Amino acid sequence: MSKSSEVKGLPSQAEFVRQRLSEAIMTGELAPGSFLSEGQIADDFGVSRPPVREAIRILAGDGLVTLRPRQRAIVRGQTASEIIDQFEAMAELEAACARLAARRRSEGDIVAMERTLADCLRYAELDQVDDYYSANLAFHEAIFGASGNTYLTTETRKLRDRLRFLRISQGRLPGRLTQSSREHSDVLEAIRAQDATEAAQKMRSHLIIQGESLRAMLKHTDASGVVHLIELRSENSQRTSPEEAKT
């Protein structure tokens, strides 16, 4: 497993380990049926066991590993249907945020969306996937803020963070960043016009397209139906060392 990070910020150690293990599982580096050793993982990433234990617990909640009493966790992986189901759920959550944002947005909110969309367009033109993802997060965060619903945005972020690696990965498909920016523009125009129904529909479509785009990158790991991602890495990936992760 790689000891480096593509996260632009500095995650907690547990979140750092969760992200790295999730990536290893989704790329097939950690195959279904593999045991996860807390001690070995802690040594690999230079952290203590408690954050590793917490990371594995979160991965179990995400359905990527199976916990068994008094035994090491075992890698489960995900099927294509499970992945698409999560993107469909994400689409509905983000559509609800966009709907509320269209009803409640201020001029300041529109300015924030325009600024972050401009960043998305610039990074799409440069084909800088990791920078684009950061700008993309900021665009969606501006919509979350405009929605005015703290509970909804908190739950949306939880699923978004779970799907982080998958969302970055589909951005590596040819032309996807440019297409995604156009989809963002459509969402912004609907919110600007305070058309709640159109804003929700455009956002829902944006997320569904992300999930469908991933199909081209999924390959069956074995006969169980579990899949892994292929052709993910980009030369422009920006990395942070695990030693920088916060406690």
Side-chain angles (χ1 to χ4, degrees):
M1 290 173 287
S2 172
K3 297 185 181 182
S4 57
S5 171
E6 295 173 3
V7 183
K8 294 200 63 139
L10 296 176
S12 69
Q13 288 187 340
E15 176 60 13
F16 175 87
V17 174
R18 184 200 69 79
Q19 289 177 2
R20 299 286 72 75
L21 291 177
S22 177
E23 291 178 15
I25 292 170
M26 291 311 304
T27 58
E29 185 178 351
L30 282 174
S34 301
F35 288 103
L36 297 179
S37 166
E38 289 183 8
Q40 184 62 56
I41 293 169
D43 289 344
D44 286 345
F45 294 115
V47 299
S48 60
R49 289 197 179 200
V52 173
R53 193 172 300 122
E54 174 64 11
I56 292 175
R57 185 192 66 78
I58 296 171
L59 289 172
D62 292 347
L64 289 176
V65 305
T66 299
L67 297 178
R68 301 182 299 179
R70 296 180 296 280
Q71 296 187 51
R72 288 181 293 175
I74 187 170
V75 173
R76 175 185 175 275
Q78 289 186 322
T79 66
S81 294
E82 288 172 331
I83 292 172
I84 299 304
D85 283 352
Q86 291 177 74
F87 272 92
E88 288 181 351
M90 186 73 197
E92 295 304 319
L93 289 171
E94 294 236 26
C97 291
R99 181 186 297 107
L100 291 176
R103 294 173 180 168
R104 301 171 176 174
R105 97 297 188 276
S106 66
E107 287 306 311
D109 291 326
I110 295 298
V111 170
M113 293 177 210
E114 290 174 337
R115 182 176 61 252
T116 53
L117 176 58
D119 289 338
C120 288
L121 291 168
R122 181 170 70 256
Y123 292 130
E125 184 176 351
L126 296 172
D127 197 30
Q128 294 181 349
V129 177
D130 297 294
D131 286 328
Y132 181 89
Y133 183 72
S134 294
N136 170 76
L137 286 185
F139 177 76
H140 285 264
E141 283 292 334
I143 294 174
F144 294 170
S147 76
N149 189 310
T150 302
Y151 181 81
L152 175 62
T153 56
T154 297
E155 294 305 305
T156 304
R157 287 188 188 102
K158 288 179 183 178
L159 184 51
R160 179 196 69 189
D161 292 346
R162 179 187 299 184
L163 296 174
R164 169 190 168 276
F165 183 57
L166 295 171
R167 294 180 73 169
I168 293 176
S169 298
Q170 58 85 36
R172 302 189 193 285
L173 291 169
R176 179 57 198 149
L177 298 187
T178 299
Q179 181 184 359
S180 177
S181 294
R182 288 197 295 265
E183 293 160 11
H184 284 167
S185 296
D186 291 341
V187 172
L188 174 55
E189 288 309 307
I191 292 175
R192 191 199 311 276
Q194 295 187 295
D195 188 335
T197 300
E198 183 72 0
Q201 178 55 40
K202 292 298 184 181
M203 182 61 84
R204 182 181 296 108
S205 175
H206 173 55
L207 270 295
I208 292 296
I209 288 171
Q210 286 187 18
E212 290 298 325
S213 296
L214 273 172
R215 289 187 185 274
M217 305 177 72
L218 298 178
K219 179 178 180 181
H220 283 282
T221 300
D222 54 33
S224 71
V226 170
V227 295
H228 65 269
L229 289 165
I230 57 174
E231 298 178 2
L232 301 174
R233 298 300 178 188
S234 142
E235 294 180 357
N236 295 324
S237 293
Q238 299 180 354
R239 297 181 178 275
T240 303
S241 69
E243 288 76 12
E244 294 176 314
K246 292 180 180 178
T247 56

